[in-house]
Every structure is written in structure tokens, then in C-alpha cells.
Amino acid sequence: MKPSAHTLNALLPQTQCRECGFSGCLPYAEAMAAGEAAVNLCAPGGVRVMRDLAQTLGVPEQAPAKIQPAALAWIDEDVCIGCTACIRACPVDAIMGASKLMHTVLTDECTGCGLCVAPCPVDCIHMLPVADDSLPRAHLFDDFAEPPRFQAASDRSPGSGKRFQAAAHAYGRYQAQQRRKEQEAAERERRQAERRAAIAEKRQAETAAAAPAAGSPAATAAAFNPAALIAQAMARAQAQQGSGAAPANRERFRESQLEEDRRRAAQRRAIRDLQYGSDEQKAAAREWLRQNKRQETAE
């Protein structure tokens, strides 16, 4: 019988690192179950996971396409700017911090996926190699039962209980994060819906308060008529153009601005000539600055 995606997923380390080219461990397992992915793509799993997958699927073993040594994320707290990009990237909530405050990695919960490194805008996150056989380290202190699928995987792979215990712990953290994000998204949508409803209700009340009594001449005249509104707008625009007041005002303002720009340019040239010009240029500049000063005082 062909193994299911959940059976194959239980053999993966649940780091959600995406080194296999898929968006997580379950999508990779689904691709293998459908015969669309090889068994040697799990970089953190290495040879052990490749052999378990090959045995389960009944296919020949292959050399791992890539091996990712165990490593833990470390944040240089002197460089961290508190942008929270790494917190959003971590699939198991293994980074603590808040906006504009220093972040730190919970080393016992880090799976070594490395997803927090690329989003960091100041390159303050580094992956430090460790000698651990299985990550996260928190699995060593687990007192909760492993999900059934991980128990079954552990039973079929003698000597690898710690690895599946670590995978079960990471799986639990990942699922908890997914549930939290779904709840947060639902709560945001609920608040936005309430705000939209409140705005619509307020506008409706304002419209009702401003509307004339039904059946009155004013109500009839105020009935929505797009053609009439367009005609009124065109009439107002033509009236403004015909009066010439607005263009004249704009022209006077433009001329005053140009005159001010010319005066400032002449002042800059006079100051420059006074400092660096010839004797004749300095004398002319000095005279211009005197006249300009008298003009400003008179104004």
C-alpha cells in the first residue's frame, strides 16, 4: 500500500527550513507521496531521513542532495535594531523581542532552519554549528506524549527515538504558531468588519439627518441625478474661466514668485562678487547690496 503524506511527514525533522525546495515539511511529503519529489532533498535530515523515506516508499536510496549541519541561530545584540523581521520568519516562535527592542533566540526551541538569517536587514544573525544529534534541544525535557504519527515513526526506526521526539516537539511548536496566526487573522478581520459597519452606520445616520422630508419640493430637487451634477460642475468651471479672476490671481502670484527668485539670485551673485570679484565687481556688488538693503527696509 502506498504510504500517505502524513506517514512521510512523520519521518521528516519538521524544521520547515524549505531547503528541499518546498514551503515546508508537509508539502514536501505530499510531493513524495504523489511521486513528484525525490527522497534525498531533506538537508537537515541527511542520510538518516533519506534512508527512512526510501524504505517507506520502497525506492532505491540516493545520496543526499545537500546536508545541512546542525546549527543554532545567534543574534548579535549590539547590532540588532529590533525590526522584528526575524520574529516573523521563525516557524516555531523561537525568537523573543519586540519592535525597536533587542531580540534574542531561545536556543532550546531553535530548530536551526536558518529562515531568520535572510530577512535581517543588518546581518546580525549568524548560524553557529553545534554537536547536537537532534534539534530542537527542548525535546530532551518534553513530558508530553508524541503525536501518534511520530510514535509510529519512532517504532519503525529503532535507535532514533530522540530524533522523532525532537520532530514531534518542533511539529507541536509549528502547529501552535499556525493556530495563533489563524486566530490573529480572524480577530483582525472581525475588528475591520466592525469598523466598516460603524463607518457605514455613521454615514447613513448623517445622510438621514441632512436629507429633507420625503415628498417635499426640496427632497424632489435633491434626488440623485448624475447628469444634473455633471452639468452643475461644468457650469461652475465655465463661470470661473469666464470671470478671469482665478487665472489673473495665479498669474500675479507666479510673477511675484519669479521676481523674488530673481532678487535672491542677484543677491547671491553680489555676495559672491564681493568676496571673489575684481575691484570693479566688488564696488558694483557693494552698491547693489546697499540699494537692496534700503529697499527691504522701506518695504
Side-chain angles (χ1 to χ4, degrees):
M1 182 178 178
K2 191 174 181 180
S4 67
H6 289 296
T7 299
L8 298 173
N9 187 43
L11 301 175
L12 298 173
Q14 301 303 312
T15 59
Q16 317 301 332
C17 65
R18 306 177 188 175
E19 291 292 330
C20 59
F22 295 88
S23 60
C25 293
L26 181 58
Y28 175 39
E30 291 172 342
M32 285 189 292
E36 299 173 354
V39 297
N40 65 336
L41 301 182
C42 182
V47 175
R48 295 181 302 178
V49 169
M50 180 276 297
R51 286 175 176 169
D52 285 346
L53 293 172
Q55 180 182 352
T56 302
L57 286 167
V59 299
E61 295 183 2
Q62 305 176 40
K66 178 181 179 182
I67 293 181
Q68 178 176 293
L72 294 176
W74 174 78
I75 296 177
D76 187 343
E77 298 174 357
D78 293 332
V79 182
C80 176
I81 60 175
C83 69
T84 72
C86 59
I87 294 178
R88 295 191 297 272
C90 180
V92 292
D93 290 334
I95 300 178
M96 289 186 62
S99 179
K100 299 182 181 179
L101 296 176
M102 177 270 297
H103 303 341
T104 189
V105 176
L106 302 176
T107 54
D108 286 341
E109 300 294 351
C110 178
T111 64
C113 67
L115 292 176
C116 57
V117 176
C120 179
V122 292
D123 294 329
C124 72
I125 304 179
H126 309 279
M127 301 302 296
L128 304 182
V130 293
D132 299 68
D133 291 333
S134 302
L135 293 175
R137 290 173 173 175
H139 78 275
L140 299 174
F141 312 104
D142 280 348
D143 57 1
F144 62 88
E146 298 173 3
R149 63 174 65 100
F150 289 97
Q151 289 180 343
S154 181
D155 292 342
R156 66 168 298 284
S157 301
S160 58
K162 288 184 178 180
R163 175 159 62 94
F164 289 101
Q165 192 176 6
H169 185 95
Y171 179 83
R173 297 275 298 187
Y174 176 67
Q175 290 300 314
Q177 185 197 73
Q178 296 303 302
R179 288 192 297 271
R180 174 177 58 78
K181 287 184 175 180
E182 290 175 0
Q183 292 171 356
E184 290 174 350
E187 180 63 18
R188 283 195 301 272
E189 178 59 30
R190 184 189 65 79
R191 290 197 299 266
Q192 291 172 359
E194 289 180 351
R195 284 196 294 268
R196 289 194 295 266
I199 292 172
E201 184 178 354
K202 181 180 178 182
R203 289 176 177 172
Q204 185 176 5
E206 291 175 348
T207 302
S216 66
T220 304
F224 181 71
N225 187 337
L229 293 175
I230 294 173
Q232 292 173 7
M234 293 179 64
R236 285 195 298 270
Q238 291 174 356
Q240 290 179 355
Q241 292 177 357
S243 65
N249 290 336
R250 286 197 296 269
E251 188 62 29
R252 283 194 295 271
F253 177 76
R254 188 181 299 111
E255 286 296 332
S256 65
Q257 289 296 106
L258 289 174
E259 183 61 30
E260 179 63 18
D261 291 341
R262 294 191 194 100
R263 188 190 65 78
R264 289 178 180 175
Q267 187 178 32
R268 288 194 295 270
R269 286 195 297 271
I271 294 173
R272 181 197 60 197
D273 292 343
L274 189 62
Q275 291 178 338
Y276 307 108
S278 62
D279 293 340
E280 183 179 352
Q281 290 174 327
K282 289 180 179 179
R286 194 176 295 110
E287 179 61 26
W288 188 93
L289 290 170
R290 287 199 194 98
Q291 294 179 2
N292 184 62
K293 185 65 174 178
R294 285 196 296 270
Q295 183 179 355
E296 289 180 348
T297 303
E299 293 175 355

